[in-house]
Amino acid sequence: LRKAEAAGVGMRVHVKTHKIPQIAEMQVGGDKSKGVVASTVPEVALFAAAGFSDVTYGVCVHASKLPALARVAESSKARVSLLFDSEVNLDETEAFLAQNPGARFGAFLKTDTGYHRAGVDVVRDPARGVALATRLSAAASLDFRGIYSHSGHAYAASSREEAAAISDQECRAAAAFAQRLPGAGGAGP
């Protein structure tokens, strides 16, 4: 966390392994306003109820999860953010929000920087990522918060050096893509 802060990079700690608010509080240095990522709706609810004010649902959202996530956001006053990697999940979310005018979510563009499991492949198709980010930014009941990347392929690294190389590749790909986004000073429209 300190290294990320020193580098001026936002980092969200993942809580899916331990699922314990007290451990997450240690991970964020006691500052419950720092973001955490949860993998299930019950985890989002647990951490929001424990006073974490910035909780991201770490799975690209499906329409069936939106009512429960909206209830968590409303009852806890936590900022609940969602991941988007397709026009379909954005369309479904916009339809839900149109029918539930009090609901509001944060939004991250889920990027694929090498894992090839989920996310918009911003290395091979950056234009698609820019288009989706532009839509997220324009959505009335979503607060576009930026891009989200997870290099899960680093789990298979056989050495620290290999893991560091994967992390470096992820950071370079994410930074290069971020420069393409409108308002970033890069090549975005």
Side-chain angles (χ1 to χ4, degrees):
L1 189 59
R2 286 187 291 260
K3 285 183 180 181
E5 288 172 348
V9 175
M11 185 175 125
R12 308 181 152 277
V13 299
H14 215 301
V15 298
K16 81 174 187 177
T17 301
H18 58 73
K19 298 175 179 48
I20 300 171
Q22 295 85 349
I23 293 176
E25 193 171 348
M26 288 187 281
Q27 287 179 286
V28 297
D31 184 354
K32 291 184 179 183
S33 70
K34 293 192 184 298
V36 298
V37 180
S39 292
T40 67
V41 174
E43 288 173 15
V44 171
L46 172 69
F47 285 88
F52 287 85
S53 60
D54 185 357
V55 184
T56 298
Y57 178 53
V59 179
C60 290
V61 69
H62 184 271
S64 65
K65 306 294 184 184
L66 293 170
L69 289 164
R71 284 191 299 274
V72 170
E74 176 62 28
S75 66
S76 68
K77 303 300 182 203
R79 172 189 260 184
V80 174
S81 294
L82 310 175
L83 304 182
F84 294 88
D85 70 349
S86 77
E87 294 76 8
V88 172
N89 63 351
L90 178 53
D91 291 342
E92 292 173 344
T93 301
E94 286 182 316
F96 171 81
L97 292 169
Q99 294 174 351
N100 297 275
R104 186 167 197 86
F105 295 109
F108 288 98
L109 175 68
K110 169 79 164 140
T111 60
D112 178 352
T113 55
Y115 193 27
H116 306 304
R117 186 177 86 175
V120 176
D121 190 332
V122 297
V123 174
R124 294 184 184 148
D125 193 359
R128 181 170 171 251
V130 169
L132 190 53
T134 300
R135 275 195 64 199
L136 287 166
S137 181
S141 293
L142 293 173
D143 298 315
F144 182 55
R145 302 189 64 199
I147 63 173
Y148 179 94
S149 180
H150 170 68
S151 59
H153 52 302
Y155 299 144
S158 58
S159 68
R160 284 185 85 132
E161 294 77 18
E162 186 179 358
I166 291 169
S167 176
D168 185 59
Q169 179 272 329
E170 175 188 27
C171 291
R172 288 178 192 273
F177 173 70
Q179 286 301 306
R180 294 174 166 269
L181 296 177

